[in-house]
Amino acid sequence: MRQSAGASGGHALPLLAVLFLAPGGLLSAAAPELPQWPVFRFEAAQIEWQGRRIEGLRLELEEDGLFVLAVERVADAGREPLLGPSVLAGRLEQLEQGADEMQASGTAEFRGLEANWRYSSARGNHSLCLDAASSAIEKLLRSEWPIEGNPWTRSGSISGCAAYPQDPDNGDAMALEIVFDGISFDSPEGRFAGADLDLEIAADVRFGDDVFVEAEGRLASGQVLIDQFYGDFSASPIDFRLLPQWTASGLESAAVKIQDDGALHVDARLAPNDGGDWAVEVRQLDLGFPGAYRRYIEPFAAAWMLDGLEM
């Protein structure tokens, strides 16, 4: 399932390119000074795009910029669908076209997620950026998975960019950058919470027979409560690196490295078990004192009971 989700992300960029570069070239001209666009309708039962098949494609654009992009199915030959029935609706607000480049922006809604978007294309390289409230991301997740209980999200925003370069030497690849700004949340039962979290993630993704992902990130600031553990990362950020390995059957394992400014260094490997839980192999664990005590041991020690004495 993870492989399908990762691969389907690569189709947002070429599908937007279909919208802007559709047959007839109605959107190829420079944008008018007033937000008035040519009315456009396009339907195709099947389109081949870079070895992938797009079925049931429908494009519509109104003169006020409202658009609809719908597909019934996106799939590689002989594989499970990468994307099922989906509808992207929004408004085209700006479009600039040059000799070999193009920029566009507007608003969009996809399965409950409302976001501002920016698209650019230059010399065959595509880029799509989205800005949304964190509550909108949770709404999208709840539409895809059966998440019960009241919403967790309280405040914050998420920005993300996906770059889809045309590089024959590296194959089908995508670069991702995601920024979580001022995220605050709390779980309904009160066991998990976060306040003013700032998190940055950058990842390189390559698609093929297997999916290769290399991600690096930093928790720059904020406070976190995980059950009995409380951590304040405002003064000292945490850096991490994640190397998941996927096969055709799903996620096989993930290498994890965590660095906490001398207080903690972890090198571990995670692997899913048949029962649904995870096996953890810690290859290296370094604790630097007194920082490790203040950050990780002291929060737990406050709740421990030893021989009837509370520490």
Side-chain angles (χ1 to χ4, degrees), residues 85 107 246 309:
T107 60
W246 275 287
L309 299 177

Side-chain angles (χ1 to χ4, degrees), residues 3-305:
Q3 182 175 358
S4 299
S8 64
H11 293 288
L13 301 174
L15 284 177
L16 280 175
V18 171
L19 173 63
F20 296 128
L21 304 176
L26 291 178
L27 299 184
S28 298
E33 295 183 0
L34 298 176
Q36 185 174 353
W37 307 95
V39 176
F40 176 67
R41 303 281 189 273
F42 176 76
E43 293 186 3
Q46 180 177 305
I47 289 179
E48 297 287 340
W49 180 281
Q50 297 183 348
R52 298 188 177 97
R53 180 179 300 169
I54 304 172
E55 300 176 357
L57 175 65
R58 176 171 60 91
L59 305 173
E60 297 181 0
L61 177 68
E62 305 295 340
E63 64 179 10
D64 59 359
L66 292 175
F67 68 84
V68 174
L69 170 61
V71 295
E72 290 297 328
R73 187 172 182 266
V74 178
D76 288 331
R79 293 192 175 186
E80 293 295 322
L82 301 173
L83 186 66
S86 303
V87 177
L88 175 69
R91 183 185 296 274
L92 175 64
E93 297 179 349
Q94 176 262 343
L95 175 65
E96 296 180 358
Q97 179 90 14
D100 57 355
E101 61 183 23
M102 179 179 61
Q103 296 182 350
S105 63
T107 60
E109 187 275 336
F110 179 76
R111 296 181 182 175
L113 171 63
E114 298 178 352
N116 298 320
W117 59 270
R118 302 180 305 280
Y119 173 82
S120 64
S121 177
R123 294 176 293 278
N125 297 319
H126 305 282
S127 175
L128 175 65
C129 297
L130 299 176
D131 302 319
S134 57
S135 57
I137 302 294
E138 182 177 355
K139 186 176 180 180
L140 173 63
L141 296 177
R142 287 176 175 270
S143 70
E144 297 296 316
W145 291 287
I147 302 176
E148 300 179 353
N150 296 324
W152 287 37
T153 308
R154 296 292 174 257
S155 62
S157 62
I158 301 177
S159 302
C161 289
Y164 194 74
Q166 300 295 315
D167 188 352
D169 294 334
N170 290 329
D172 199 356
M174 181 170 56
L176 299 175
E177 293 184 359
I178 305 175
V179 176
F180 299 81
D181 185 16
I183 301 296
S184 296
F185 67 90
D186 58 81
S187 62
E189 76 281 1
R191 293 181 56 201
F192 307 97
D196 300 324
L197 295 172
D198 293 334
L199 176 65
E200 300 177 359
I201 301 175
D204 291 326
V205 185
R206 294 189 180 93
F207 305 105
D209 294 336
D210 296 330
V211 178
F212 174 81
V213 179
E214 182 177 4
E216 295 182 347
R218 164 170 285 198
L219 177 59
S221 64
Q223 298 84 44
V224 175
L225 174 67
I226 304 176
D227 206 354
Q228 296 183 3
F229 169 77
Y230 169 79
D232 187 345
F233 302 96
S234 300
S236 178
I238 287 184
D239 296 313
F240 60 89
R241 189 170 183 234
L242 181 64
L243 294 172
Q245 294 182 349
W246 275 287
T247 64
S249 58
L251 180 63
E252 185 177 80
S253 64
V256 181
K257 293 186 178 181
I258 302 174
Q259 182 72 41
D260 182 4
D261 195 26
L264 175 71
H265 176 81
V266 177
D267 188 349
R269 179 181 179 273
L270 308 178
N273 288 327
D274 295 335
D277 57 352
W278 290 77
V280 181
E281 176 189 356
V282 178
R283 298 174 175 174
Q284 181 179 354
L285 174 61
D286 298 328
L287 297 175
F289 292 91
Y293 175 81
R294 296 195 185 101
R295 176 87 87 174
Y296 301 103
I297 299 177
E298 190 174 35
F300 287 108
W304 288 347
M305 300 291 292

